[in-house]
Amino acid sequence: MVNWVEVLRKHFVARLATNAGLRQHAVAVDEEDGTVINIWLPSHNKASQMNHNQHHPVVLVHGFAGDGMMTWGFQVGALAKCGYDVYVPDLIHFGGSTSRSPDCSVAFQARCLAAALRNLGVAGPCTVVGFSYGGFVAFEMAAACPGLVRSMVISGSTVSYTGAMKDALLRRLGGARSIAELMLPDTVGQVRSLFSAAMHMKLWFPRRLVKDFLKVMYNNRKERAKMLDDMINMRGEEASAPIFQQNILLLWGENDNCFPIEYGESLKEELGEKAILQRISKAGHLAQLERPCVYNRYLTEFLAAHSPSDQVNRSS
């Protein structure tokens, strides 16, 4: 039987990538652990060989309920049109990225992604755009590899996720008894509830499409459950956040129920002068999918202001 989400990935989402001049590539990060990062990258990039004509790299890091291109399909074309080199990885245990390592931490994801980029000749500086769980990975990369990460764009995420935040989320949304039940649905009804929580727009999806999404997007459940456990209090309740040197855009849906706009406001205060908070009205947690034109405008304006001017052809 045809899985319509697979058809969507192969024929629509992949077409968005190829129209943006991207191709798919598997990057071996650690042969001993079998760690491989699947990544969409500029067609001109040759793995393990620095391309001296490359433009400013922009790395798009997805969240917990999708893979790279399913999350960022509406952004790649706008970024490529402006002359940026776009990289869209699948995090480990998502999409085509795999590993036998028992490490399911945010730090492991950040290390592997940084290693994959370096293997592709991207030694820095780049801009990392992180959404939700991908925001944790982006912050971790920026703290560990300041020479690689020049600037960040963060949507619906924080530097760390506490048990109090988790408890507040479950109370706010209701229904789910645990973060794993919410983020790793195993029924059509649970997927619908997750979509409803993540989106400001009230869209209706056919049961068949939701069922196909469940089959395609929710594999590697054991590893992802461990990732959720690590995500909560990954820095410890008493640990202070790193001091970031990068310029940071906090790009937030005003109606985000998963990471409310108040989290963005607090994060702006915590990060200080280096951070800018930009709100997107009539958008929830999935602002890049709900209002892609507005999201892309704010994103490209920030990049234009914080990318090396001689590397980017800012065509309109």
Side-chain angles (χ1 to χ4, degrees), residues 14-184:
R15 179 63 62 87
L16 293 174
T18 55
N19 287 349
L22 307 184
R23 64 182 176 88
Q24 204 168 11
H25 184 68
V27 184
V29 174
D30 188 325
E31 292 185 6
E32 183 176 342
D33 285 335
T35 303
V36 175
I37 298 284
N38 179 68
I39 188 166
W40 288 88
L41 72 166
S43 295
H44 62 70
N45 182 287
K46 302 300 181 184
S48 302
Q49 179 179 349
M50 184 64 179
N51 186 329
H52 295 287
N53 294 320
Q54 73 177 151
H55 298 141
H56 182 71
V58 179
V59 184
L60 304 174
V61 190
H62 66 84
F64 209 83
D67 58 22
M69 279 305 304
M70 288 289 283
T71 301
W72 299 111
F74 293 147
Q75 279 65 57
V76 292
L79 291 169
K81 184 180 178 182
C82 290
Y84 298 101
D85 279 352
V86 184
Y87 293 82
V88 189
D90 291 337
L91 293 173
I92 295 166
H93 307 305
F94 293 84
S97 296
T98 60
S99 179
R100 294 190 300 272
S101 172
D103 193 341
C104 291
S105 67
V106 171
F108 178 68
Q109 295 279 3
R111 287 197 305 271
C112 290
L113 180 52
L117 291 169
R118 289 186 174 120
N119 287 352
L120 292 168
V122 182
C126 68
T127 297
V128 180
V129 184
F131 162 67
S132 197
Y133 181 81
F136 300 131
V137 177
F139 276 125
E140 191 72 25
M141 280 183 63
C145 310
L148 174 64
V149 182
R150 179 189 183 93
S151 58
M152 287 185 284
V153 179
I154 302 296
S155 294
S157 189
T158 58
V159 177
S160 58
Y161 196 72
T162 67
M165 289 178 172
K166 179 260 295 181
D167 293 341
L169 173 68
L170 295 177
R171 286 195 302 270
R172 192 163 57 247
L173 300 185
R177 293 164 295 181
S178 68
I179 191 73
E181 183 179 309
L182 177 67
M183 299 304 299
L184 293 171

